[in-house]
Amino acid sequence: MPRTAETASFQFNHTMIRVKDPKVSLKFYTEVIGMDLLSEKDMGDFTLYFLAFDHGQNYKSMSAEDKDIARFAREGVLELTHNHGTESDASFTGYSSGNSEPGKGFGHIAITVDNLEVACARFEKLGVPFKKRPQDGKMRNIAFILDPDGYWVEVVKQAMKL
Amino acid sequence: MPRTAETASFQFNHTMIRVKDPKVSLKFYTEVIGMDLLSEKDMGDFTLYFLAFDHGQNYKSMSAEDKDIARFAREGVLELTHNHGTESDASFTGYSSGNSEPGKGFGHIAITVDNLEVACARFEKLGVPFKKRPQDGKMRNIAFILDPDGYWVEVVKQAMKL
């Protein structure tokens, strides 16, 4: 039951992070992480990319127009913002991960996986940098990998649906 | 269909942001936004709070233990990290929203709502600060409100399920 009728329709639709080079980030979030690209919006000075996991939505069978609408009909969407030019600007020093000063605030996004060991072995094989492997530190049931901009991506075992 | 068998189980489970005062943030994310608090974990120097919208999960009828497990069985979870002491530390200058230098990177989280005008009228009534009202600027179909730490929360009309 939703808390109140007023918020009954609300969904936590997406999280937006800025990326330096969309080619590199899209390759990471589609090929390594496994999301589908639902929408790409050129806004002039910047382009927005919306990605999400396909859990039966069958994005591959949808038209571009339907996918564009569908991105606002679910939770778990990732929005990447590319400010044009950063990918080739030698003076651009990169974005803050949010995990150290200056700029501390945002922490990470997290992906649940059915098998943490298998998922991490695959990330290793694909050459993904780790911030923390499962065996590092005290918390053995989580890992942190780094996306191409240095944002932290937690990897954690998913719970069975209750 | 998922992109590959290797990532078929993956879900975009949560997004983590740091908050100065959990009392204030929990009030905002539960009473104003309408999420349920699923889990609270005291880790010594910091406490983690996990929140999500109840879309039929019936969290109110679950035990604390089941809710704690259930937070890893879905998408659309928000994790708030409270580093103990920030709420009463006069020298603490607050967290970065990620939207200006130094610390630019993270952008926002976004909530979809069935009726943008009604949702925004309610936010106004509750005294929530706006970064952008629907009628400001060119994009009439979105608003941005500010959470207690100044993080941007986009409010956008949800699509009908396709």
Side-chain angles (χ1 to χ4, degrees):
Chain A
M1 287 287 294
R3 290 178 59 88
T4 70
E6 291 168 308
T7 61
S9 74
F10 290 17
Q11 290 193 306
F12 177 7
N13 173 242
H14 72 251
T15 295
M16 188 278 265
I17 53 176
R18 294 173 179 86
V19 301
K20 175 182 176 175
D21 187 335
K23 280 207 189 76
V24 177
S25 295
L26 288 173
K27 189 175 165 69
F28 177 81
Y29 282 105
T30 58
E31 295 181 16
V32 177
I33 299 295
M35 289 176 161
D36 274 59
L37 178 64
L38 305 189
S39 173
E40 179 177 338
K41 296 269 178 200
D42 188 331
M43 310 292 283
D45 295 339
F46 60 98
T47 299
L48 308 177
Y49 300 89
F50 292 84
L51 299 113
F53 289 110
D54 190 332
H55 297 131
Q57 287 86 355
N58 274 312
Y59 294 125
K60 283 183 186 63
S61 68
M62 277 188 202
S63 67
E65 195 178 18
D66 280 354
K67 277 195 288 190
D68 189 55
I69 295 169
R71 76 193 146 115
F72 290 124
R74 59 168 292 167
E75 299 195 313
V77 175
L78 180 67
E79 178 184 7
L80 306 179
T81 294
H82 171 229
N83 291 309
H84 298 164
T86 50
E87 72 284 9
S88 56
D89 178 357
S91 70
F92 179 71
T93 53
Y95 288 118
S96 167
S97 77
N99 290 301
S100 54
E101 297 295 356
K104 202 168 179 175
F106 171 63
H108 59 260
I109 61 171
I111 307 297
T112 48
V113 302
D114 59 353
N115 188 314
L116 184 63
E117 291 68 33
V118 170
C120 287
R122 178 174 163 273
F123 292 140
E124 291 276 11
K125 199 177 131 197
L126 293 171
V128 177
F130 277 76
K131 174 76 185 171
K132 178 204 174 303
R133 290 177 172 79
Q135 64 270 28
D136 299 334
K138 278 184 287 190
M139 299 181 76
R140 300 300 163 96
N141 54 343
I142 60 170
F144 281 94
I145 57 176
L146 297 177
D147 97 339
D149 287 276
Y151 293 113
W152 297 13
V153 179
E154 182 180 342
V155 186
V156 58
K157 189 169 171 8
Q158 67 196 182
M160 298 298 289
K161 212 161 192 171
L162 289 175
Chain B
M1 288 287 294
R3 290 177 59 87
T4 69
E6 291 168 307
T7 62
S9 73
F10 290 16
Q11 289 192 307
F12 177 7
N13 174 242
H14 72 252
T15 295
M16 189 279 265
I17 53 176
R18 295 173 179 87
V19 301
K20 176 183 174 174
D21 187 334
K23 280 207 189 77
V24 177
S25 295
L26 288 173
K27 189 175 165 70
F28 177 81
Y29 282 106
T30 58
E31 295 181 15
V32 177
I33 299 294
M35 289 177 163
D36 273 59
L37 178 63
L38 304 190
S39 173
E40 178 177 338
K41 296 269 178 201
D42 189 330
M43 310 293 282
D45 295 339
F46 59 99
T47 299
L48 308 176
Y49 300 90
F50 292 84
L51 300 112
F53 289 110
D54 190 333
H55 297 130
Q57 287 87 353
N58 273 311
Y59 293 125
K60 282 183 187 63
S61 68
M62 275 188 206
S63 67
E65 195 178 17
D66 281 353
K67 277 195 288 191
D68 190 54
I69 295 169
R71 76 194 146 115
F72 291 122
R74 59 169 292 166
E75 299 195 314
V77 174
L78 180 67
E79 179 185 7
L80 305 179
T81 294
H82 171 229
N83 292 309
H84 298 165
T86 50
E87 73 283 10
S88 56
D89 178 357
S91 70
F92 179 72
T93 53
Y95 289 117
S96 166
S97 77
N99 290 301
S100 55
E101 297 294 358
K104 201 168 179 175
F106 171 64
H108 59 260
I109 60 171
I111 307 297
T112 49
V113 302
D114 59 353
N115 187 313
L116 184 63
E117 292 67 34
V118 170
C120 287
R122 178 174 164 272
F123 292 139
E124 292 275 13
K125 198 177 130 196
L126 293 171
V128 177
F130 278 76
K131 174 78 186 172
K132 178 206 174 302
R133 289 177 172 78
Q135 63 270 28
D136 298 334
K138 277 184 289 190
M139 299 182 76
R140 300 299 164 97
N141 55 343
I142 60 170
F144 281 94
I145 56 175
L146 298 176
D147 97 338
D149 287 275
Y151 294 112
W152 296 13
V153 179
E154 182 180 341
V155 187
V156 59
K157 190 171 171 3
Q158 68 196 181
M160 298 298 289
K161 212 160 194 173
L162 288 175

